[in-house]
Amino acid sequence: MGVLKLAVKPLLIACLMKSLPANCQPTPSITLTEKNVTLQKALEDIHQQTGYTYFGESNWTEYSHRVSFVVRKASLRQVLDSCFKDQPFTYELVGTAISIKARPRKDVTIHGWVFTEKKEPMEGATILVKGELGVATVTKVNGEFSVNVRFADDRLLVSSVNYEPQELDLVEGKDVVVYLHERVSELADVVVLHDGYKSVRKKESTGAYDEVDNQLFERKVSFNVLDHIDGVTSGVLFNKNVSNQVNQSAITVRGRSTIFANADPLIVIDNFPYTGDMSNINPEDIESVTVLKDAASAAIWGAFSGNGVIVITTKKGKRQEPRVSFTTSQTVSGKPDLFYSPRMSSGDYIDVQQFLYRRGAYQVALISPLHTVITPAVEIFDATKRGVLSPGDSASMINALKGQDVRNDLDKYYYRHGVNSQYLLSVSGGSAANQYYFSAGYDRNLNSLVRNEYDRVTLTGNNTHDFIPGKLQLTTGLAFTSSRTYLNNPGLPLSTYPYAKLADGNGNALPVNYGFRNSFVDTVGGGQLLDWHYRPLDELKYADNVAHLTDYRINIGFKYNIFKNLEARAYYQYGRGDSSSNNYQSLQTYYTRDYINRF
């Protein structure tokens, strides 16, 4: 009985609240601002301030309109009137709940016609009443239709296959006339591939192709074109660990097909084979890449295609309003971890040298008339044996060397975080008679080795002229690239014993044992020779090793349609690539000072 009383008591309270007049119930004061929110969101905010819950038909949230209003210290009914204004529903307060109900039904017959944009009657178009589930009809042969609706806030949705749908607000007593526009779409199976000579549909191709479109091509960020197709094409293998041996290729298409001949696949850019450096091509100017992977490519390109063909198509102008585009990317790579690979510590290295010294391993070098260079620890061991150094001074100097690790100086002065920057500004557009594409790009790559970097400037221009629309077409293209590669840092100095110290506390370059013994270098020539010490940090500072590369291609093409399915094409290209390198060894470098002193 106790449980029954607890259950009945709230029910009785609810019944009593319902029986009270609405004006007898306490009316909360509401301050609320709603901007283009759903009806459900507005009711939820009202619930947060008043405690009034809400419920209604299962599909009321689907057909309700968004609401916008601002109220200050308003009554609940004033706020609800703002919410349900122009809604297909009305409300009723039941105790502390808001009941959402459909407005009273008013059957109205809507009559009208549906036509295509060419004013042809459309049969079979679907007419759906959005306010009522299951109320729909289709048009007759002459495009006519009629449907009964609940004219509270119902709307019609008119749709048909391959046509853009339309949603209509109804006006009572007025016939409806609808014109549907044909939907413009591309069929997924009509994929155009370019084999270097012509464009063909994928279904019409007899060979094995793999096409990388612009969207897939731009997924990866890199200044090299071939890097963009790494991992996105089947049958193409990028060999990351190619040695410096002759006749090795960094990329293979379906394996290698030659033994002694060139192992590289054939590269084709805009209908012409390209044998230059692929770093000359700006990836931002590429529209698509097609990989020809089987013997069918030999019918097009002959023996040069034995290892596959990679066809690159650059961007061209389109019939559109002028469009200016700016693209940039920044890629940061981590500094190499010189302590990742385990290696012998400086202390262990010196202990091994001491062990070898005691067994006479350095005796020949110590008495050599060529003054062969010896590491500092061995010099200390020998000076101690000859009595030049006391055992105490020797031990102190050896302990100091054991506490040094050349990797600390290399990490500080020789390596950095790599930063690759790419910028491209392009303009494209055109009319029915002329389409154009122009771009200017600048790339700068800072290598993880200090003072090693690469910069590139590219200019591209493509034009298409239709002198006789549908008959005679002229295409012109220009591609220019100028790049500089700085190779001033070899990665490791020539002297690499693990306890070498490259700089003092102020960052000034220190000499390391290299070339000849210090005892010889300090005294030979009686002060008449140039400084003969080798300082790795000065070598890095004064290095001047630059490689310049310039490449340009000019092409022109004609296409003439003789009649349907028969056309004549003619292409011509002039290209040139120049490269030069300058490795200037100034008087500050050890290389030049060593040469002068030797002579």
Side-chain angles (χ1 to χ4, degrees), residues 254-526:
R254 280 194 173 179
R256 181 165 176 167
S257 302
T258 58
I259 300 177
F260 300 108
N262 184 9
D264 295 324
L266 177 66
I267 306 295
V268 177
I269 301 178
D270 289 341
N271 305 314
F272 286 92
Y274 182 75
T275 57
D277 191 340
M278 290 304 297
S279 62
N280 293 331
I281 312 301
N282 195 328
E284 298 296 335
D285 291 326
I286 302 304
E287 180 64 31
S288 65
V289 177
T290 305
V291 182
L292 315 183
K293 300 185 288 188
D294 66 348
S297 60
I300 305 172
W301 294 103
F304 287 104
S305 65
N307 291 297
V309 183
I310 299 177
V311 180
I312 299 174
T313 304
T314 59
K315 293 180 179 178
K316 306 296 190 299
K318 299 178 181 180
R319 296 182 183 181
Q320 61 184 18
E321 294 294 325
R323 178 176 299 176
V324 180
S325 175
F326 177 73
T327 305
T328 181
S329 65
Q330 304 289 328
T331 306
V332 180
S333 58
K335 183 190 295 188
D337 184 4
L338 302 183
F339 295 87
Y340 178 78
S341 299
R343 59 176 290 179
M344 183 181 293
S345 66
S346 297
D348 292 341
Y349 190 91
I350 292 175
D351 290 341
V352 172
Q353 285 192 316
Q354 186 176 29
F355 174 81
L356 295 175
Y357 173 79
R358 290 173 178 173
R359 282 154 180 76
Y362 300 103
Q363 192 62 33
V364 175
L366 290 169
I367 63 175
S368 171
L370 300 177
H371 308 285
T372 305
V373 66
I374 297 174
T375 57
V378 177
E379 291 279 17
I380 294 173
F381 296 147
D382 186 61
T384 304
K385 182 179 180 181
R386 291 184 289 106
V388 177
L389 288 176
S390 65
D393 291 340
S394 174
S396 178
M397 296 173 68
I398 290 296
N399 288 333
L401 293 180
K402 287 184 177 182
Q404 296 173 181
D405 193 325
V406 70
R407 290 176 294 182
N408 291 319
D409 286 343
L410 291 175
D411 181 73
K412 183 176 181 180
Y413 298 105
Y414 271 71
Y415 293 90
R416 64 186 174 190
H417 292 282
V419 180
N420 296 345
S421 304
Q422 295 179 268
Y423 310 91
L424 184 90
L425 178 65
S426 65
V427 180
S428 63
S431 61
N434 179 37
Q435 300 90 47
Y436 56 87
Y437 172 85
F438 300 102
S439 73
Y442 175 70
D443 299 86
R444 188 185 185 194
N445 298 342
L446 300 181
N447 195 278
S448 58
L449 290 168
V450 174
R451 298 207 66 216
N452 279 7
E453 62 182 83
Y454 171 86
D455 62 60
R456 175 181 66 188
V457 175
T458 61
L459 298 174
T460 302
N462 290 321
N463 264 281
T464 302
H465 307 270
D466 290 307
F467 289 106
I468 305 177
K471 273 290 185 180
L472 179 60
Q473 185 182 83
L474 168 68
T475 58
T476 59
L478 169 66
F480 171 81
T481 303
S482 177
S483 66
R484 291 178 298 178
T485 305
Y486 298 87
L487 301 172
N488 297 316
N489 189 339
L492 287 175
L494 297 177
S495 180
T496 56
Y497 51 90
Y499 51 88
K501 192 170 181 61
L502 306 183
D504 60 16
N506 297 321
N508 299 315
L510 294 177
V512 298
N513 293 23
Y514 177 76
F516 299 101
R517 293 183 66 180
N518 285 344
S519 59
F520 173 75
V521 170
D522 292 337
T523 58
V524 65

Side-chain angles (χ1 to χ4, degrees), residues 1-7:
M1 285 299 293
V3 176
L4 179 60
K5 291 179 180 179
L6 291 175

